Amino acid sequence: RHLFHSGNDYSRHTGDYHENASLQIAKTIPGFDIVFSGHDHQLFNKVVSDSESNPVAVLNPANNANAVARVDVTFTNNGGKWVKDTIIGNICKIDNLQPSQRFMDEFSESYNTIDAFVSREIGTATGDFISKDAFFGPSPFIDLIHKLQLDITGADISFAAPLSLDAVIKSGQIRVSDMFNLYKYENLLYTMRMTGQEIKDYLEESYSIWINEYDEKHILLFASNNPSPKNFAFKNPSYNFDSAAGIIYTVDITRPKGDRINILSMADGKPFDVNSEYKVAVNSYRGNGGGDLMTKGAKIPHKELTSRIISSTDQDLRYYMLNEVQKKGILTPTTLNCWKFIPEAIAAPLIEKDRAIIASEVK
C-alpha cells in the first residue's frame, strides 16, 4: 500500500511534471496493492491493472474530511501460507459514521485547546469580505490578500487567487478561524524576480483559464455550455485564477489569449516596463510552478524557478496574515481598483448573468 499527496488526473502538467500522478504510478509501477491518493479534491474509487496485470485499488476521499477511504482485504490460508484473496475499496461518507466516545474522550483536551485558539478574537471587520466578488474584478476579499502580501514582502507586485468560491469574513469580530477562510492552504510566501514581459504573460495565462472565449454568453469559463445555479462547475480550478496588485491593467474579454492584458502603469502611476525586473509576491505553490502560470504562462523553465526566489517566509502565509490583522486591528472592505474587464458595456451584463449562476455553491 502507499499514500500519495497527489491526485489521479495525470493529464494536468506543471511544466514537465505531473501534479497528479497516483493513477499513473498504479498503472505503470508493479508492486502496489492499494494506493490512497489526494490533492486534487476529486472522489475516486477504482481498481486498475498494473504493468504486470495485477489489480491495484486506487482511492481518493476528496477534501474537507467529508469522506474517508476504506479498504477491506481478505486472505486465504493456502497450505499454511496466507495469500491475498480480494481487495474491496469503499468511499465512506463521514455523516454516516458514529463517533467513537473513546476517541472523543482521548482527544477532548486537544480539541478544546484548538477550539480556544481558533476562537480567539484578533480584530474587527467593518463590513463583509466575500470571495465570490473576486471572480468579476477587484474585491475587498482578494485585495486584502494582495495588501497583506505586499505589506509582508515589500514587493512591487502581488499575485493571488480566490482559494475558495464561497468563503466569507463577516462584519464584526474577526477570529483566528476567519484566517482559514481567507487563506485555506499552508503555503509559504515567496518574493521572486520577474520581468515585465513575464508578468504580462503570467496574467495572460491566468485569465485564459479563468474567462471564456468571447461568445456573448458568459464571462467565466464554465465546464459546460449551459451552466445553471443548480448545476455548474468551472472548467479549471479557481485557485489558479490569479489577479495582480501593484499594477494598473485591463482585461479585454473580446480579445484572444495573448492579447487580453494591457498593463497601463504601476499602481503609483510610474511607468511599467516589459524589459524591467520587478519583485513579485506569490505563494510557494505558485512560485514552485503550481498551476503552470510561472512555466507555461511566464515561460520560466521549471528548473530556473528556484534561482528566481529572493526570499521566503519561514512560516506559512496565514501566520503572517494573522499577525498583520492583529496589528491593523480594524479591517474595512475596500478595493485597490487595480484592474477591470473591458469593454465595460459588454462585460457588465455578462458579469451580472454569471454572478447569478455562481450564487450557489460550486461543485
Side-chain angles (χ1 to χ4, degrees):
R1 63 188 183 275
H2 205 83
L3 176 66
F4 295 132
H5 186 87
S6 179
N8 299 309
D9 181 7
Y10 51 87
S11 65
R12 290 187 182 276
H13 286 225
T14 297
D16 296 329
Y17 297 82
H18 289 178
E19 192 168 318
N20 299 303
S22 297
L23 190 59
Q24 184 180 27
I25 289 172
K27 288 180 176 180
T28 59
I29 300 177
F32 295 114
D33 296 310
I34 305 164
V35 171
F36 294 107
S37 60
H39 178 70
D40 59 356
H41 298 186
Q42 301 295 315
L43 290 170
F44 191 87
N45 178 15
K46 189 175 181 179
V47 175
V48 300
S49 296
D50 66 15
S51 60
E52 297 179 352
S53 300
N54 298 308
V56 183
V58 183
L59 295 98
N60 185 342
N63 57 309
N64 294 333
N66 292 321
V68 294
R70 168 180 167 173
V71 177
D72 294 314
V73 184
T74 61
F75 296 87
T76 300
N77 192 317
N78 187 0
K81 181 180 180 181
W82 289 99
V83 179
K84 179 182 63 190
D85 190 13
T86 61
I87 298 177
I88 300 174
N90 292 283
I91 300 296
C92 306
K93 293 289 186 180
I94 290 294
D95 54 12
N96 295 330
L97 302 179
Q98 294 298 316
S100 161
Q101 191 57 51
R102 178 183 173 188
F103 178 93
M104 299 299 290
D105 292 343
E106 176 71 23
F107 293 100
S108 61
E109 184 176 348
S110 298
Y111 175 88
N112 292 333
T113 299
I114 293 171
D115 186 56
F117 171 73
V118 299
S119 300
R120 181 164 58 89
E121 296 178 357
I122 58 173
T124 303
T126 62
D128 293 344
F129 294 80
I130 303 169
S131 65
K132 287 179 181 176
D133 294 339
F135 294 89
F136 304 105
S139 70
F141 186 94
I142 204 70
D143 283 356
L144 174 58
I145 296 175
H146 280 311
K147 284 185 279 190
L148 291 171
Q149 289 190 165
L150 291 171
D151 288 346
I152 293 166
T153 63
D156 305 305
I157 296 166
S158 166
F159 288 132
L163 302 183
S164 301
L165 175 73
D166 55 354
V168 179
I169 297 177
K170 293 184 178 180
S171 177
Q173 290 299 311
I174 302 172
R175 293 177 169 80
V176 170
S177 58
D178 289 311
M179 294 296 96
F180 289 81
N181 283 329
L182 180 66
Y183 210 88
K184 66 189 294 186
Y185 300 123
E186 279 66 46
N187 296 317
L188 301 177
L189 179 60
Y190 287 173
T191 306
M192 300 182 69
R193 296 180 294 107
M194 294 180 70
T195 68
Q197 185 63 54
E198 289 168 345
I199 290 165
K200 197 264 189 189
D201 292 342
Y202 180 109
L203 289 172
E204 290 282 2
E205 181 67 24
S206 176
Y207 284 92
S208 77
I209 62 174
W210 174 348
I211 68 171
N212 195 33
E213 288 283 350
Y214 180 59
D215 64 0
E216 300 182 353
K217 293 181 180 179
H218 298 285
I219 199 165
L220 298 178
L221 182 55
F222 292 105
S224 72
N225 294 325
N226 298 298
S228 68
K230 293 184 178 180
N231 185 22
F232 80 93
F234 296 131
K235 184 174 182 179
N236 301 295
S238 60
Y239 55 74
N240 289 329
F241 298 175
D242 274 20
S243 62
I247 51 176
I248 305 297
Y249 65 100
T250 58
V251 183
D252 191 331
I253 65 170
T254 68
R255 303 298 300 166
K257 176 185 177 180
D259 195 29
R260 288 181 173 139
I261 308 299
N262 183 20
I263 302 176
L264 305 173
S265 70
M266 302 299 294
D268 60 4
K270 293 179 181 177
F272 176 85
D273 183 3
V274 293
N275 297 312
S276 293
E277 192 171 82
Y278 298 92
K279 293 189 296 182
V280 179
V282 292
N283 68 49
S284 53
Y285 172 73
R286 189 73 74 238
N288 291 328
D292 289 341
L293 301 188
M294 283 286 183
T295 51
K296 183 179 177 182
K299 302 177 182 63
I300 302 171
H302 195 279
K303 62 183 179 181
E304 190 182 316
L305 290 175
T306 302
S307 68
R308 297 295 193 97
I309 300 171
I310 300 170
S311 62
S312 170
T313 58
D314 56 359
Q315 298 199 53
D316 65 78
L317 180 51
R318 191 189 308 112
Y319 168 83
Y320 293 93
M321 288 182 166
L322 190 156
N323 289 340
E324 287 293 322
V325 171
Q326 286 186 120
K327 267 193 261 181
K328 295 179 187 300
I330 296 176
L331 296 182
T332 299
T334 58
T335 59
L336 296 171
N337 290 322
C338 285
W339 68 277
K340 61 183 177 181
F341 288 123
I342 62 168
E344 292 182 77
I346 296 176
L350 295 179
I351 287 173
E352 291 310 306
K353 180 180 180 180
D354 286 358
R355 275 188 188 277
I357 290 174
I358 71 168
S360 59
E361 185 178 353
V362 73
K363 290 187 176 181

